[in-house]
Amino acid sequence: MHNPAEVERFEADLKRYLNRKIGLEAVMRVRCTKGLAIHTFHGNFFVRSTDLLSLPNINPDAGFGMQVSIEDNLTDSPYAAFQAALLYTSSKGERRIRVHTLCLPVTTSLTDIINSVDQQAMIGLLAKMAVDRSINTAVSDAREALVNACVDALGAYGATLGNQQRMGAVPSPYSLRLLPLYVSAMLKHPSLRLGVSTKTDDRVHAMDDCKALPLSQLMLQLVPELYPVHILTDEGGILKEDIVIPQPPRLALNSGSIDRNGAFLLDTGTYLYLWVGSAISPTFCSQVFNRPDFSSLEDGLCDLPELENEMSERLRLFISHLTDRKPGSPPLIIVREDSRNRHVFIQYMIEDKTESSMSYYEFLQHIQKQQKS
């Protein structure tokens, strides 16, 4: 057993796989209003016809994406409707059908459309399209297409503004304020990154995640959540079953958010990394790790002792709160600042510059230049 964290994750994933709800012999049909057409599907399935997908099994951990084109005038109705119908056999042998219907207003105003954009759904679909492009052509083409999509989306918004409002920074509506960050993160994702040694198995696995993961899990992979946990308090916490769960502030994903005097928890969806700075206080080491100081922390720890003090209890409560929201049980990996494996934590600082990629600030400048050219 050379890697206890992987053993723990495999055990949790296998338990989830055997215990989760599942549908067998499923087919899914997606319909939409006349004048619209679904022309491309993304996910794991077999296409039986233009709107019918065959699914050997369906479970809560699967995600799908569809591209829709406008083929006719939509002025006949103030609404456009989409409906997904799933027919499946439950684990008890019952044949069931589940139907989801969504109605959206039709508008001719570009401003209304831009202000209604779901930027996470947008990057989720762009990620699926980019993976398909990289398989059919090249990774470099997929990366270029991603950047162009970001430039085009923000450029369309900029076209609705006056010249005075377009001066200075990249013009962006509130609904698309994080799109450049998401695209920059996607360019550094193992599925599309260049200039960094990436094993073929790792790239293929990352591509499959982009194609098939539910959106919430994919977003955690692209933009993990970083929290300072050396100063946990009950202030601002949430009450759950008469227990206060701390809610520390979320930090930006750059090296400036980390200092050697603190401890920081990174939630990537698949793993939880606890970064411990080299100047962390002996009190924190004693109350959380049951060690006298930083130098006594073993490299590669993957568990926290259950100690009877407020600092330990608050941290374990917060970690349990994060894991309870996920379908699996991501293992905890403790990373010392001077660890030889510190790169597994540092690679998620997506706003930083690397040898082969731009920083977030440089990427914004690149977007601005692309819009002007």
Side-chain angles (χ1 to χ4, degrees):
M1 188 182 298
H2 299 293
N3 196 329
E6 287 296 339
V7 172
E8 181 182 344
R9 188 175 75 136
F10 176 75
E11 181 182 1
D13 287 349
L14 182 60
K15 183 178 179 180
R16 166 72 178 173
Y17 182 81
L18 296 175
N19 291 332
R20 69 186 175 187
K21 291 185 178 180
I22 191 169
L24 306 172
E25 298 177 337
V27 289
M28 181 168 65
R29 187 182 297 275
V30 183
R31 304 179 179 91
C32 53
T33 296
K34 183 180 179 181
L36 298 174
I38 299 173
H39 61 84
T40 307
F41 293 91
H42 301 275
N44 292 328
F45 50 78
F46 175 76
V47 180
R48 280 195 183 177
S49 63
T50 54
D51 64 348
L52 186 65
L53 307 181
S54 177
L55 311 169
N57 67 74
I58 185 68
N59 60 76
D61 301 330
F64 300 90
M66 294 89 181
Q67 290 175 243
V68 181
S69 61
I70 300 176
E71 297 189 337
D72 203 354
N73 200 318
L74 299 176
T75 55
D76 294 342
S77 171
Y79 296 97
F82 300 87
Q83 186 179 79
L86 177 70
L87 177 66
Y88 66 98
T89 302
S90 72
S91 55
K92 296 181 180 180
E94 299 169 339
R95 198 65 174 162
R96 297 178 178 177
I97 187 167
R98 176 172 292 186
V99 180
H100 293 276
T101 304
L102 175 67
C103 288
L104 299 173
V106 174
T107 180
T108 57
S109 169
L110 180 59
T111 302
D112 289 344
I113 294 173
I114 291 174
N115 291 334
S116 303
V117 170
D118 183 331
Q119 56 189 348
Q120 291 194 359
M122 183 175 179
I123 193 62
L125 183 59
L126 286 175
K128 292 171 170 55
M129 294 168 64
V131 167
D132 280 349
R133 175 74 69 92
S134 66
I135 293 173
N136 296 328
T137 56
V139 172
S140 57
D141 291 343
R143 290 169 59 89
E144 183 181 355
L146 262 179
V147 175
N148 289 340
C150 182
V151 172
D152 291 344
L154 297 179
Y157 172 72
T160 66
L161 304 176
N163 291 334
Q164 201 69 24
Q165 294 174 288
R166 296 171 62 181
M167 297 293 290
V170 178
S172 173
Y174 185 80
S175 61
L176 293 176
R177 67 196 183 282
L178 295 178
L179 181 61
L181 176 64
Y182 293 161
V183 171
S184 176
M186 191 64 207
L187 297 176
K188 297 178 181 180
H189 192 256
S191 60
L192 295 179
R193 68 187 179 193
L194 293 176
V196 179
S197 179
T198 305
K199 295 179 181 179
T200 302
D201 286 351
D202 293 338
R203 190 182 296 277
V204 170
H205 180 263
M207 287 180 169
D208 185 60
D209 282 347
C210 289
K211 291 283 287 183
L213 276 183
L215 183 60
S216 59
Q217 296 181 41
L218 177 60
M219 290 308 303
L220 267 181
Q221 280 197 9
L222 292 179
V223 188
E225 298 175 353
L226 179 65
Y227 304 97
V229 294
H230 52 283
I231 49 173
L232 290 178
T233 66
D234 290 341
E235 185 178 353
I238 59 176
L239 190 63
K240 184 178 180 181
E241 297 178 356
D242 297 328
I243 299 174
V244 178
I245 301 173
Q247 296 295 297
R250 187 172 171 181
L251 303 177
L253 292 168
N254 59 60
S255 54
S257 299
I258 305 168
D259 64 74
R260 57 197 302 269
N261 298 301
F264 302 88
L265 186 68
L266 183 73
D267 181 5
T268 70
T270 309
Y271 295 96
L272 291 172
Y273 295 102
L274 179 57
W275 170 277
V276 184
S278 57
I280 191 73
S281 70
T283 302
F284 184 87
C285 292
S286 173
Q287 295 191 2
V288 173
F289 301 111
N290 201 23
R291 300 289 191 276
D293 51 33
F294 174 82
S295 61
S296 61
L297 283 177
E298 299 94 338
D299 194 17
L301 286 174
C302 56
D303 196 12
L304 294 178
E306 295 185 11
L307 305 177
E308 295 183 1
N309 61 74
E310 285 189 352
M311 192 175 292
S312 173
E313 290 173 356
R314 283 172 178 160
L315 179 54
R316 287 185 285 109
L317 272 174
F318 181 58
I319 290 175
S320 296
H321 170 68
L322 294 179
T323 56
D324 287 346
R325 297 185 302 171
K326 298 175 176 57
S329 180
L332 175 68
I333 299 176
I334 298 165
V335 183
R336 289 171 47 124
E337 183 182 352
D338 58 358
S339 171
R340 61 182 179 181
N341 295 321
R342 64 196 302 269
H343 67 277
V344 301
F345 183 94
I346 295 297
Q347 67 178 339
Y348 290 104
M349 300 298 105
I350 57 173
E351 296 185 19
D352 286 345
K353 178 181 175 64
T354 66
E355 294 181 1
S356 58
S357 62
M358 295 179 281
S359 68
Y360 180 45
Y361 177 72
E362 290 171 334
F363 183 70
L364 288 176
Q365 290 181 315
H366 176 68
I367 294 294
Q368 192 173 25
K369 290 178 182 177
Q370 290 289 99
Q371 287 181 334
K372 292 179 180 178
S373 61

